[in-house]
Amino acid sequence: MNSTQTKLARFYPIVPDIGWLERIVPLGVKLVQLRIKDSSPAEIAAQAKRAFDFCRENNCQLVLNDYWEAALDTGVDYIHLGQEDLRTADFEAIKLAGIKFGVSTHDEAELEIALAAQPDYVALGPIYETKLKAMPWAPQGLEKVKEWRGKIRQLPLVAIGGLTPERAPGVLEAGADTLAVITDFITASDPNERVAQWLRQLEAR
C-alpha cells in the first residue's frame, strides 16, 4: 500500500468522452473516470488535458483510464489500469511523476498481481451482471466484496458492474468504499437527474 492513504468520493461515474464529463461534473461530481476508446493518441491527449483542466476548475478528481503515457504528458495525476496494463506500464516513470493509480481485479490471482504493484485503490467487478459489455467473469456478488475488503485491509475498494441506487446500500455495507457507475446513468431517460439521485443518496450516508 502507498504510504499516503487515498480518500475517494463514494460516487465514481465513468464516462466515454469529454462531452459527458463536462455535462455531469458541474452537477457536483467529485470523482470521475475518463474512459476513451478507439481514439488516436493525439485525440486522447487533447481530451485528457481538457478534462484535467475542467476537473481542476470544478474541484473534481479526474482518473484517466489506461493511457498512462498521456497522463505523463498532460499532467493528469490519477490513472486506472487493467491487468494487461500492469504488464506494460512504466511504474518507475508513473511514480516519479507522482501519479496515483487504481487496478481492476476479478479473481484472487489478479488481486495478488495488483497488490504487488502497490496501487492506491483496488477495483472489483462485475459485482452484478452488466449490460455494458460481455464479461468473461460471472457476477462477483456481495460475498466477494466482503472477502476483498478483508484481503486489502485499509486500501480503498471500488465496486463496479451492474450497480444501481437500489443496490448501492448493500454493496457499501459489504465493504466497498466507492461505487463505479456507467450504464445506470448513461442509459437513463434523464442522465443528469440520475447522477443527481446518486449524489443525493451517497452524500446522505
Side-chain angles (χ1 to χ4, degrees), residues 126-145:
I127 307 305
Y128 297 99
E129 184 178 2
T130 176
K131 300 174 183 177
L132 181 65
K133 58 182 178 179
M135 288 283 192
W137 306 280
Q140 305 282 359
L142 298 183
E143 287 304 312
K144 186 62 72 70
V145 176

Side-chain angles (χ1 to χ4, degrees), residues 106-192:
H106 308 89
D107 57 37
E108 291 196 14
E110 290 188 350
L111 178 60
E112 185 175 341
I113 293 169
L115 292 178
Q118 296 186 304
D120 293 279
Y121 74 74
V122 168
L124 171 66
I127 307 305
Y128 297 99
E129 184 178 2
T130 176
K131 300 174 183 177
L132 181 65
K133 58 182 178 179
M135 288 283 192
W137 306 280
Q140 305 282 359
L142 298 183
E143 287 304 312
K144 186 62 72 70
V145 176
K146 294 177 183 177
E147 182 182 343
W148 253 230
R149 173 75 282 154
K151 288 179 179 294
I152 70 174
R153 301 183 182 275
Q154 298 304 310
L155 203 60
L157 176 59
V158 174
I160 185 171
L163 302 186
T164 65
E166 295 74 26
R167 290 168 167 170
V171 180
L172 292 171
E173 288 165 12
D177 299 294
T178 295
L179 305 183
V181 181
I182 312 172
T183 307
D184 181 76
F185 74 88
I186 283 183
T187 62
S189 58
D190 186 342
N192 286 29

Side-chain angles (χ1 to χ4, degrees), residues 27-103:
L27 301 175
V29 170
K30 296 304 177 187
L31 174 68
V32 65
Q33 182 184 129
L34 180 60
R35 178 191 282 179
I36 308 168
K37 299 295 183 183
D38 302 321
S39 292
S40 68
E43 174 62 20
I44 291 163
Q47 286 204 39
K49 183 62 169 65
R50 182 171 156 189
F52 179 64
D53 291 341
F54 189 82
C55 286
R56 184 168 51 185
E57 292 168 3
N58 286 272
N59 192 30
C60 176
Q61 174 64 62
L62 171 67
V63 182
L64 182 63
N65 183 268
D66 290 345
Y67 301 107
W68 57 269
E69 300 100 325
L72 291 172
D73 293 338
T74 59
V76 174
D77 56 0
Y78 223 125
I79 54 177
H80 181 87
L81 301 174
Q83 290 287 317
E84 291 183 3
D85 301 310
L86 291 178
R87 293 193 281 271
T88 58
D90 185 342
F91 283 102
E92 184 176 351
I94 290 169
K95 293 185 177 182
L96 189 63
I99 296 174
K100 293 183 176 182
F101 65 95
V103 180

